[in-house]
Amino acid sequence: MSAPTVARPTEDELQAQFDATIAADHRIEPRDWMPEAYRKGLVRQIAQHAHSEIIGMQPEGDWLLAAPSLRRKAVLLAKVQDEAGHGMYLYSAAETLGADRADLTDKLIEGRQKYSSIFNYPTLTYADCGVIGWLVDGAAICNQVPLCRSSYGPYARAMIRVCKEESFHQRQGYELLMTMMRGTAEQRAMVQDAVDRWWWPSLMMFGPPDDDSPNSAQSMAWGVKRHSNDELRQRYVDMSVPQAEALGVTLPDPELALDEATGRYRFGAIDWAEFKQVISGNGPCNEERITRRRAARDDNAWVTEAATAYADKHAS
Amino acid sequence: MSETTAAETTAEGGHGAVPTGPEIPSGAEPTRATARRDWPLYECFVRGKRGLNHVHVGSLHAPDDEMAVHAARDLFTRRNEGVSIWVVRASDITASSPDEKDPMFAPAGDKVYRHPTFYEIPENVPHI
Ligand SMILES: [Fe+2]
Ligand SMILES: [Fe+2]
């Protein structure tokens, strides 16, 4: 007599099980079967998210040595360190899908994977650090909060950790700006100038309009994404306008107006040509960002090599 | 489709819009020989406070156990999130199959009597 055999599930059965998990709004976990397109799409999304966190350290990092006080320096250092952590959480999530962390970094440096267009703009004054915290991290929060319910478990859990830390990022930025707004006319002008430069790029962070976003539908059907680009952008504008008013700055959009009927803000047309330029490598700082990332990898290679040699020597 | 066009970008990562089109094709794979590639993967567990179990919080790469603990401290407990950290090489973990319908968990399914709710107790009996 032979041992009872367990029938291997067919591809269709596996697909049905996956679909049922998604339909029930349960999470997909690393060792579950998943469609190849789901896995690939997630690796790409998570890797690019991770790259954005890592590259995102640079614009504010430029001001670490020029922070105006020890307090501001400690705060900025903690904020930038958090972004490194966000990158690590995300690479770790990508690895649960079979990606290799060093390989992803190589792809970023070789220009084969992208990062958020926002980090290709320069930080010209210290007010930019405040505006990044307020607007850029604010937009990040709008994007990331729904991702805490992403259908892929490790991604959702990474987002929960990230979101817990983002609130500090936004508040430290806003507080910095409030302090400057209470200062001299020159300081207030610096804040307004920074807002003028960052407002439009921050709106672009939500991606192209829904009718020009071909992958969104599949992403939403799989529960990877929970809201459309335009929906999140509108939410962000509605949140930001009263914050700008409280701060005493003007958002650089003459068409910005409250729609009494809906209670939401109408805003002007976004310059998608600029977005396309920046995302395809022609932004003000694209080259600088990648050059520095490459240097970080290559110039510090001796540290990782030394640590490996030490570990090898002590492994018994 | 052979190249990433701006039309294939969408808001993804928290930090914003990134392309979702196919990766830009490129010639040779990078050939850099780094030690870091070979650093083992560690799974990390943090005890949030006294009285709680260690809970899995994520993973990282480190050259050895000691460095893994240091890295886990910096990565997962920057805000007093824990009082104790465990790290273990991912390759040393033996896991069951992930599916709850797996035969491994099946025997528990029909043993409802292991749960307190299996037993009906009159409402006028307190503290039970
Ligand atoms: Fe972040
Ligand atoms: Fe942040």
Side-chain angles (χ1 to χ4, degrees), chain A residues 253-275:
Chain A
D253 179 359
E255 292 176 48
L256 196 63
L258 182 65
D259 184 332
E260 299 285 356
T262 60
R264 318 204 77 174
Y265 285 87
R266 282 189 302 260
F267 52 97
I270 295 168
D271 182 0
W272 292 114
E274 174 183 323
F275 176 74

Side-chain angles (χ1 to χ4, degrees), chain B residues 24-44:
Chain B
I24 297 163
S26 135
E29 284 291 313
T31 51
R32 188 179 50 97
T34 52
R36 180 90 183 241
R37 257 182 221 292
D38 306 325
W39 284 6
L41 184 69
Y42 283 85
E43 297 296 341
C44 308

